Amino acid sequence: MAQPRCRSVLITGCSRGIGLGLVRGLLAASPSPEFVIATCRYPEKAQELQHLCNQYSNIKLLQLDVVSESSIREVVKEVEDIVGDQGLNCLINNAGINMLASLEEVTAETMLTCYETNTVAQLMVAKAFLPLLRKAAQQSSSMGCDRAAIINMSSLAASMQLTEDQEMYRTVYPYRIAKTALNMITRCLSTDLKADGILCISLHPGWIQTDMGGNEAPLKVQDAIPGILSVLAHLSEKDNGAFLDWQGKTLPW
Ligand SMILES: NC(=O)c1ccc[n+]([C@@H]2O[C@H](COP(=O)([O-])OP(=O)(O)OC[C@H]3O[C@@H](n4cnc5c(N)ncnc54)[C@H](OP(=O)(O)O)[C@@H]3O)[C@@H](O)[C@H]2O)c1
């Protein structure tokens, strides 16, 4: 997200994996955003983030459990104090969970837990930050992350077309369905917020070696992050409502 400059970025789920990688990538970018707001459930346990706080003055570490309404309310107040009248430019809804379950194994409980964290939470977080995103959108005109944007971390697993008949996706019922619903949130927000100048996309970050992606994934976090940040930096009005991958390719729903 180097050019043009995005003043403030907030990322959910930064304790590890892709979220942590995005924080590192943004802090190392030139120019780096004025505020890289890294949120996680347990800041007191997030050693890597604490280490980054000692190294960089533009990182702000805040507590956010995306399924907690009170935590969301609290973090919005804290972010308002940080970004002030210029609002929040870019919200990256990254936090997520994967719950493995085939048709035989799936339960209402796993479906609901996965839906709560991967779908409902993203909508509630986006809704709570709308006043700050609208403030940011009022500062400039052309659409993009330097103005106001919501990035929903989706997955190729959510694509009905690309995953049809693929054996490996048969065991991820709750995750796939929750991410497909997240894609619909992207479509709804991209329509509803267009007039405000707030862009919204779904992003497949690539299959990446993280706790969720596993060791067999072809990409390491540090190799995928530059591509993701480049895609975000180049978003414009034509991308509003799109489902993109980490190389900027449009994915079919
Ligand atoms: N890795 C891949 O190959 C891949 C592929 C496609 C899409 N994605 C998506 O990319 C995003 C990041 O994935 P990842 O691979 O980095 O996963 P990960 O290594 O499992 O990390 C997940 C992150 O989400 C956080 N999180 C979970 N529940 C949360 C909650 N209620 N509130 C706040 N944070 C919460 C975790 O925090 P704690 O440490 O507190 O648990 C952790 O920081 C996810 O949305 C995932 O679906 C990943």
Side-chain angles (χ1 to χ4, degrees):
M1 217 177 289
Q3 235 179 11
R5 191 180 193 201
C6 168
R7 180 177 178 256
S8 56
V9 185
L10 183 142
I11 308 162
T12 66
C14 296
S15 58
R16 52 197 166 94
I18 298 169
L20 180 61
L22 286 170
V23 172
R24 283 192 206 284
L26 285 167
L27 291 172
S30 180
S32 181
E34 193 175 331
F35 302 112
V36 177
I37 305 169
T39 71
C40 67
R41 282 196 278 201
Y42 310 110
E44 68 287 355
K45 291 188 198 159
Q47 289 186 4
E48 285 95 339
L49 289 174
Q50 286 179 19
H51 184 63
L52 290 171
C53 289
N54 293 331
Q55 275 182 284
Y56 296 91
S57 58
N58 58 333
I59 178 174
K60 307 288 170 196
L61 175 54
L62 302 180
Q63 196 276 338
L64 174 59
D65 181 339
V66 297
V67 299
S68 158
E69 277 181 39
S70 60
S71 176
I72 295 173
R73 260 197 313 274
E74 198 51 43
V75 84
V76 170
K77 280 193 247 156
E78 291 171 325
V79 173
E80 197 168 9
D81 286 344
I82 293 169
V83 297
D85 285 346
Q86 291 187 60
L88 176 69
N89 295 113
C90 181
L91 164 66
I92 304 182
N93 268 324
N94 167 75
I97 54 168
N98 186 9
M99 301 181 84
L100 292 177
S102 65
L103 176 58
E104 290 72 25
E105 293 156 346
V106 73
T107 62
E109 197 184 340
T110 52
M111 285 299 294
L112 290 171
T113 304
C114 212
Y115 192 66
E116 184 183 27
T117 306
N118 292 339
T119 317
V120 180
Q122 283 67 15
L123 183 58
M124 293 304 113
V125 170
K127 189 178 163 192
F129 277 109
L130 276 184
L132 289 179
L133 289 163
R134 286 196 172 108
K135 265 190 192 171
Q138 282 160 12
Q139 314 289 319
S140 58
S141 54
S142 56
M143 278 183 133
C145 286
D146 55 319
R147 187 182 183 192
I150 300 167
I151 312 300
N152 288 325
M153 210 55 99
S154 181
S155 170
L156 187 138
S159 168
M160 288 180 257
Q161 212 170 310
L162 290 177
T163 57
E164 214 170 26
D165 295 335
Q166 285 202 34
E167 191 61 25
M168 69 182 285
Y169 295 109
R170 290 192 60 238
T171 55
V172 283
Y173 258 70
Y175 181 77
R176 297 178 68 183
I177 294 167
K179 290 287 188 185
T180 304
L182 175 65
N183 282 350
M184 182 55 91
I185 291 177
T186 295
R187 296 296 292 187
C188 295
L189 293 180
S190 67
T191 306
D192 281 345
L193 303 178
K194 192 176 171 184
D196 289 319
I198 302 171
L199 175 144
C200 184
I201 66 153
S202 278
L203 183 77
H204 166 58
W207 184 17
I208 303 175
Q209 286 178 23
T210 61
D211 292 337
M212 188 188 293
N215 293 334
E216 283 174 34
L219 287 166
K220 291 201 163 87
V221 173
Q222 63 268 31
D223 300 328
I225 296 301
I228 295 173
L229 292 180
S230 172
V231 170
L232 298 188
H234 292 97
L235 291 177
S236 66
E237 192 168 355
K238 67 171 177 21
D239 302 305
N240 190 30
F243 184 14
L244 302 177
D245 75 3
W246 63 292
Q247 293 172 310
K249 204 173 84 188
T250 299
L251 299 179
W253 303 107

